[in-house]
Amino acid sequence: MILQGNSRGGASDLAAHLMKPENEHIELHELRGFASNELMGALNEAYAVSRGTRCKQFLYSLSLNPPLDQNVSTAAFEAAIEQVEEKLGLSGQPRAIVFHEKKGRRHAHCVWSRINVSEMKAVQMSFDHEKLQAVSRELFLEYGWKIPEGLAKREHSNPRTFTLADWQQARRIKKHPHAVQRDFEDAWAISDSRAALIHALDERGYRVALGRKNRPVAVDMNGEVFSIARQAKKANIKTKDVRFRLGDVDGLPDVETVKAEVAEEMRGNLDRLKAELEIQFQQSNDDFELQRAALVEKQRRERLVLADKLDKRRVEENRNRQNRFRKGMAGLWDRLNGTHRRIKTQNEMEAEACAQRDAAMKDGLIFQHLGERQRLSLFRLSLRRDYDRTRKLLERDRLTFGTNPQTRGGPEFGL
């Protein structure tokens, strides 16, 4: 569990931050040692007490972040807070615990008042970061989690030293040679004039140009140059036949000009595809947000239903336990013979067991909700990865078409 803490002031700002509605679920889990039952009032109480001292950073704020792939119970969070509290010398100080959930991740915040009221002095927080790292390592070892490298090696704790794996480039997609030959043979077979041949080849992705030694050639969308006669060899045609059908070949543009025109058109097409990709991704984002909002609303309703159910059952169970005590003379006799004490002990044990049962039910629902949100996040992550991969390929191809048009060959399409 990653622990990050610091001394600070600004009670109102901190309370507002911890209760910001940007989180999908917020739970004010505990207020200890305060008169107020609201976080804002509680932290302002700590500020009021601090006015009797010279301390400006009268609060200590701690965040507890478990590994992303772990479901951590409320009791485990509480135990971690107790360890930190003892390590930092904050035992018994007024504190507030808040749980946040967002994007399928649950973490906790704990805020203590540093002011020791009996001495009207602030608790000393020397070497708090080192102490938090020590507790964090203990927690990772205790729960058998993989220790982050930043905790194991201090020089690697700066996130700016981390690297991301490069995206694998898509392989170049080529037509099978026989498919290319069929393109030229079909174009030759259905054309009987210059205009018809140029149009037939254009429909198949080839532009007619004038190559070396004034020979008519075709340039494809990747900038590859093909001999028309050689590719249509099954039609038993020769270069002179191509010249005859095309007529005045001197009027054809040269290969470099055609490559430049093809590159310009392809850049325009890639820009159009990129715009379409952005629209599709925005639509996917909008759909995701609708699903996320619906899921959060459903989970909030389910938590309210469970909380109401647990409250009613707790009241009923407390009433039943209280009814075990007899009244009047019978009750007095029970006190004399020890029956009252045995019933009290039994009630306390049952109340603790029921509290643990209710906490487990609450954690169970929270873990279910975290799983639901994580599955939605994985779907969103998949959409994002597909978008990033396609966008990078488009940008790469766009840059490739912007290179020297005289260079033979074009981009390696991977879309």
Side-chain angles (χ1 to χ4, degrees):
M1 191 176 295
I2 300 298
L3 306 174
Q4 295 177 315
N6 63 288
S7 299
R8 58 165 295 163
S12 297
D13 290 343
L14 179 57
H17 172 72
L18 292 178
M19 302 306 289
K20 281 180 71 172
E22 66 181 19
N23 293 284
E24 294 167 356
H25 300 289
I26 302 173
E27 178 190 358
L28 179 55
H29 179 69
E30 178 188 274
L31 286 176
R32 183 189 73 186
F34 298 105
S36 176
N37 58 3
E38 294 182 351
L39 184 63
M40 182 69 74
L43 298 191
N44 281 329
E45 283 180 37
Y47 168 67
V49 172
S50 74
R51 295 298 299 273
T53 72
R54 295 181 180 180
C55 181
K56 302 299 181 184
Q57 297 181 326
F58 53 91
L59 298 174
Y60 193 84
S61 176
L62 174 74
S63 66
L64 302 93
N65 294 275
L68 292 175
D69 58 346
Q70 298 295 326
N71 284 331
V72 179
S73 69
T74 303
F77 275 107
E78 291 174 334
I81 290 171
E82 292 292 338
Q83 284 183 253
V84 170
E85 189 172 270
E86 182 178 357
K87 198 82 170 180
L88 296 182
L90 292 169
S91 297
Q93 289 297 112
R95 75 182 184 193
I97 300 175
V98 179
F99 284 100
H100 286 171
E101 290 179 42
K102 188 176 182 181
K103 297 183 179 180
R105 187 176 72 89
R106 188 188 192 209
H107 64 278
H109 296 269
C110 186
V111 183
W112 287 269
S113 169
R114 291 179 55 205
I115 307 303
N116 185 325
V117 178
S118 62
E119 300 178 1
M120 287 307 291
K121 292 170 57 177
V123 176
Q124 183 58 251
M125 305 306 298
S126 301
F127 306 108
D128 58 318
H129 294 292
E130 289 78 3
K131 293 174 182 177
L132 289 179
Q133 279 208 332
V135 175
S136 184
R137 279 192 288 269
E138 291 174 9
L139 291 172
F140 274 95
L141 291 171
E142 178 183 351
Y143 291 105
W145 300 330
K146 182 180 177 181
I147 299 180
E149 192 172 3
L151 277 178
K153 299 179 180 179
R154 189 174 180 85
E155 64 270 19
H156 292 164
S157 62
N158 190 333
R160 287 178 294 183
T161 64
F162 299 160
T163 61
L164 295 174
D166 294 333
W167 288 97
Q168 183 178 0
Q169 295 289 325
R171 292 177 178 240
R172 184 172 183 176
I173 298 176
K174 293 183 177 179
K175 279 189 176 181
H176 192 279
H178 294 313
V180 175
Q181 291 171 10
R182 283 195 298 271
D183 285 342
F184 282 87
E185 290 162 1
D186 291 344
W188 183 265
I190 63 174
S191 62
D192 56 359
S193 65
R194 173 191 176 100
L197 180 58
I198 291 175
H199 179 71
L201 287 172
D202 186 73
E203 285 189 328
R204 288 158 178 77
Y206 303 90
R207 295 287 182 84
V208 178
L210 195 62
R212 296 176 182 177
K213 299 181 181 179
N214 289 336
R215 290 179 178 175
V217 295
V219 181
D220 72 359
M221 294 298 102
N222 289 329
E224 300 283 356
V225 180
F226 300 90
S227 166
I228 298 175
R230 187 178 300 123
Q231 294 300 324
K233 58 185 179 181
K234 285 189 178 181
N236 295 319
I237 62 172
K238 301 184 183 301
T239 301
K240 64 179 182 180
D241 298 322
V242 178
R243 285 179 179 274
F244 178 78
R245 184 163 297 185
L246 290 175
D248 182 14
V249 295
D250 291 336
L252 294 173
D254 57 44
V255 170
E256 289 74 25
T257 300
V258 171
K259 281 187 176 182
E261 292 174 353
V262 168
E264 184 63 30
E265 290 182 12
M266 289 303 298
R267 285 195 296 270
N269 287 336
L270 290 170
D271 289 341
R272 175 180 55 81
L273 291 176
K274 185 178 179 181
E276 291 179 4
L277 177 67
E278 297 292 342
I279 292 173
Q280 291 176 2
F281 183 69
Q282 185 58 50
Q283 290 175 342
S284 299
N285 266 341
D286 293 342
D287 293 339
F288 170 80
E289 283 302 318
L290 289 175
Q291 295 180 49
R292 186 197 64 80
L295 178 63
V296 170
E297 183 61 29
K298 178 186 79 73
Q299 291 179 348
R300 288 175 177 171
R301 288 197 303 269
E302 290 176 353
R303 294 190 187 194
L304 288 174
V305 169
L306 178 62
D308 183 65
K309 175 183 176 182
L310 295 181
D311 284 340
K312 290 180 178 178
R313 184 168 65 183
R314 182 169 56 253
V315 170
E316 181 65 23
E317 289 174 342
N318 286 339
R319 182 186 300 113
N320 292 337
R321 284 191 287 269
Q322 191 63 30
N323 288 339
R324 290 172 179 168
F325 295 112
R326 295 193 295 176
K327 299 178 181 179
M329 293 300 297
L332 179 61
W333 175 248
D334 286 347
R335 287 181 180 274
L336 293 174
N337 63 23
T339 301
H340 185 278
R341 184 173 61 255
R342 288 193 297 273
I343 294 175
K344 181 181 178 182
T345 302
Q346 177 187 354
N347 285 354
E348 290 174 348
M349 293 176 60
E350 288 183 3
E352 177 63 22
C354 290
Q356 293 178 1
R357 176 203 63 200
D358 291 351
M361 288 186 65
K362 184 177 179 181
D363 280 346
L365 183 62
I366 289 173
F367 294 160
Q368 175 190 326
H369 287 173
L370 289 171
E372 293 172 349
R373 185 60 178 87
Q374 288 165 4
R375 286 190 290 274
L376 191 59
S377 291
L378 287 175
F379 173 72
R380 175 66 180 81
L381 181 61
S382 176
L383 289 177
R384 182 74 201 191
R385 284 175 174 169
D386 289 342
Y387 164 78
D388 285 342
R389 181 172 60 252
T390 305
R391 179 176 54 81
K392 287 184 178 182
L393 288 170
L394 284 168
E395 291 175 352
R396 184 200 64 188
D397 290 348
R398 179 69 168 74
L399 290 174
T400 304
F401 278 117
T403 58
N404 187 351
Q406 296 183 8
T407 304
R408 189 174 188 271
E412 299 177 358
F413 285 110
L415 302 180

